[in-house]
Amino acid sequence: MLIDEYFPSYDVVERHRIEVNAPSNLVYDAARNLDLSDSRIVRALFRLREIPGWCRSRHSRAQRLGLTLEDLLASGFVVLGERSEEEIVLGLVGRFWTASGGIKRVDAKAFFAFSSPGYAKAAWNFSLRETPDAVTELTTETRVLCLDNLSRRRFRLYWTLVAPFSGLIRMEALRSIKRAAESKAAAGPSVD
């Protein structure tokens, strides 16, 4: 997997899996067009995450996480690598345990080189494997590497509190991708 190549070392990992009754090309397309705006749970959790920023400047409020893949990229995530119809890996640098998240905007090359103490790097993937019976196994994995001991202690305390909610967001993402891919599969091939 690309995530193993790009992000082999980490302090924390979270994995989730779902089976999708659709071919991998439709599942990959649904992952690339991820839209969590139909999930009340995700919208509520993202709003909760934004509460500390409400007291900040308009600039800070503008840096909120998005509900689509494009929104996530605009908020600081970067595509680290991609194998069409197999895997996409996103990366993010920040101080996730702080009220603002302390997102550091970097491109993919800078992500790999980034090593400043006081920060953590996260990688998040969607990986697909089509089975012989036309079911696609869709997994998501999140890995976090803290860049110094103090950041590691702060992140682990933060993670103790948010891990269940983070997992809920990842599961909602998988369910959203499953719904979109299975809906397209049920509709059959499109005629151009």
Side-chain angles (χ1 to χ4, degrees):
M1 286 195 322
L2 287 176
I3 198 167
D4 294 325
E5 295 174 32
Y6 294 149
F7 211 74
S9 300
Y10 47 89
D11 296 305
V12 174
V13 64
E14 176 183 314
R15 296 177 182 100
H16 300 279
R17 176 186 164 286
I18 198 167
E19 289 186 352
V20 184
N21 294 308
S24 61
N25 65 317
L26 294 181
V27 177
Y28 194 79
D29 184 57
R32 275 305 253 139
N33 292 295
L34 176 64
D35 185 353
L36 296 171
S37 61
D38 64 338
S39 171
R40 288 185 195 154
I41 294 169
V42 172
R43 286 194 321 263
L45 290 172
F46 278 23
R47 281 191 196 111
L48 281 174
R49 177 66 168 120
E50 293 171 358
I51 288 173
W54 291 349
C55 300
R56 292 186 164 44
S57 70
R58 183 175 296 156
H59 175 72
S60 294
R61 286 192 304 259
Q63 293 183 355
R64 60 177 54 159
L65 287 175
L67 296 170
T68 66
L69 183 59
E70 291 306 313
D71 292 340
L72 290 171
L73 294 173
S75 69
F77 278 86
V78 62
V79 175
L80 299 178
E82 183 172 15
R83 281 193 189 127
S84 185
E85 297 185 22
E86 289 180 29
E87 184 178 10
I88 183 168
V89 182
L90 306 174
L92 185 68
V93 174
R95 293 181 169 131
F96 310 125
W97 54 91
T98 65
S100 69
I103 304 303
K104 182 91 169 167
R105 292 184 177 273
V106 296
D107 61 18
K109 184 177 178 182
F111 176 91
F112 294 114
F114 191 88
S115 61
S116 297
Y119 285 89
K121 300 194 302 187
W124 180 23
N125 83 337
F126 289 102
S127 177
L128 295 81
R129 185 181 67 82
E130 194 167 328
T131 66
D133 50 337
V135 170
T136 300
E137 181 182 274
L138 174 63
T139 60
T140 183
E141 185 168 329
T142 303
R143 297 177 179 183
V144 178
L145 175 66
C146 300
L147 301 176
D148 62 274
N149 287 331
L150 180 58
S151 297
R152 191 169 293 108
R153 284 192 301 274
R154 288 177 174 166
F155 180 79
R156 285 197 171 139
L157 177 61
Y158 163 79
W159 193 245
T160 300
L161 300 171
V162 303
F165 305 106
S166 175
L168 191 55
I169 290 169
R170 282 8 175 222
M171 284 305 300
E172 281 292 299
L174 292 179
R175 286 190 283 264
S176 177
I177 293 167
K178 177 181 173 80
R179 279 191 303 274
E182 288 180 351
S183 174
K184 261 197 168 166
S190 63
V191 179
D192 292 334

